[in-house]
Structure formats: C-alpha cells, structure tokens
C-alpha cells in the first residue's frame, strides 16, 4: 500500500518501562532479548464510495445529531476536459485550505471527506492540461458544484 508521504518507523524506549527486563520479570519469565518498534500507518477514515455518484454527503455529530453547527461533509466531483466533457484520470486535485491532495480515478472522479461548511478552493493539475482553480462552497447547491473543466 503506497503511503504518502512515507511514514516513519522507530524503535523508541517506552517511558513506563525502564528496561525490557522489567516486562519479562513482570510476566514471570526469564530475561529475553527484546525491543519495541513503533510503526505509523495510514488508515482510511471514510470508506471508498462504491454506489451511485453523490456530490455531497452530510454527517451530524453529537448525541442524536442535535448539536447545532457540528456537521461534517464529504464532497465529490469530476475533472473533465473542456468542450468534450471526457473524464480526466490521473489529475491531482488539491483542496487548498486543508492542504489535502487526491488523484482522480479513470472516470475523473475525486472526493474529500471530513469538511466543515465554508468556502474552499480546488486547484487541479494534470500534465496534458493547463492548471485550473475553482472556488467552491460546502455544502453545494447542485451535483455539479465540484466539477472542474480543464483545457489543453
């Protein structure tokens, strides 16, 4: 699984355990060679969307979703070739205000999750097209609010 950026792997000493011998003594065993390894991995928080294409979904946080203002949104859009409307796969889509980047799939689709309502900027790049920026508002009013057209 390609982690981006590459994540660190360390072998630190655990604060509460002054030496590995303390662990083996507490377990009632003889002293054995040991070390501690800490590995950081990327875990996808929201599942990949596999159903029909939806441009905005909303989650309400709090007890029964009754806390005003505590809403999180997931947005999805498409990167299309201007004029033809063909999808552009492999485009890099940056959500400027959060500094998060995703790559479009073969259908030109992308998504970002865990966003608060507000104004954002999408910055899209692809080697075969001119860079494109688009101001968006979350939540959007129509299914095409997050679509971006690029020109060669």
């Amino acid at each position: 699984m390609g982690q981006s950026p590459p994540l660190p792997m360390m072998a630190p000493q655990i604060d509460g355990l002054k030496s590995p011998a303390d662990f083996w003594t507490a377990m009632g065993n003889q002293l054995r060679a040991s070390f501690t390894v800490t590995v950081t991995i990327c875990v996808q928080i929201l599942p990949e969307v596999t159903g029909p294409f939806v441009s905005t979904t909303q989650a309400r946080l709090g007890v029964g979703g009754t806390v005003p203002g505590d809403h999180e949104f997931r947005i999805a859009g498409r990167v299309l070739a201007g004029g033809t409307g063909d999808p552009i796969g492999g485009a890099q889509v940056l959500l400027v205000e959060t500094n998060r980047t995703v790559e479009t799939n073969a259908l030109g689709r992308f998504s970002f999750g865990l966003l608060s309502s507000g104004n954002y900027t999408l910055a899209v790049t692809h080697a075969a097209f001119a860079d494109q920026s688009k101001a968006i508002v979350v939540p959007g009013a129509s299914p095409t609010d997050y679509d971006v057209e690029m020109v060669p």
Side-chain angles (χ1 to χ4, degrees):
M1 179 203 269
Q3 298 286 321
S4 180
L7 301 172
M9 185 164 111
M10 304 177 293
Q13 182 74 1
I14 298 175
D15 293 339
L17 191 62
K18 299 299 179 203
S19 101
D22 293 343
F23 171 78
W24 292 112
T25 302
M27 296 295 294
N29 287 321
Q30 295 178 355
L31 178 63
R32 297 181 184 178
S34 61
F35 60 92
T36 303
V37 176
T38 301
V39 179
T40 305
I41 61 169
C42 178
V43 177
Q44 187 173 359
I45 296 173
L46 297 173
E48 185 69 29
V49 176
T50 56
F53 189 69
V54 176
S55 65
T56 308
T57 57
Q58 177 181 5
R60 293 177 184 228
L61 306 176
V63 179
T66 59
V67 180
D70 268 354
H71 302 286
E72 295 291 334
F73 295 91
R74 173 187 228 164
I75 64 168
R78 297 175 298 167
V79 176
L80 306 168
T84 65
D86 292 335
I88 301 173
Q92 299 296 313
V93 182
L94 168 67
L95 190 61
V96 175
E97 290 74 11
T98 65
N99 200 33
R100 288 191 279 170
T101 303
V102 295
E103 185 172 307
T104 58
N105 65 13
L107 298 174
R109 294 181 179 175
F110 67 91
S111 68
F112 289 100
L114 300 177
L115 297 174
S116 298
S117 61
N119 298 318
Y120 295 91
T121 306
L122 296 174
V124 184
T125 58
H126 189 279
F129 296 88
D131 293 355
Q132 182 69 36
S133 291
K134 180 175 182 177
I136 61 170
V137 177
V138 175
S142 81
T144 60
D145 280 352
Y146 312 119
D147 292 355
V148 178
E149 288 192 4
M150 300 186 80
V151 293

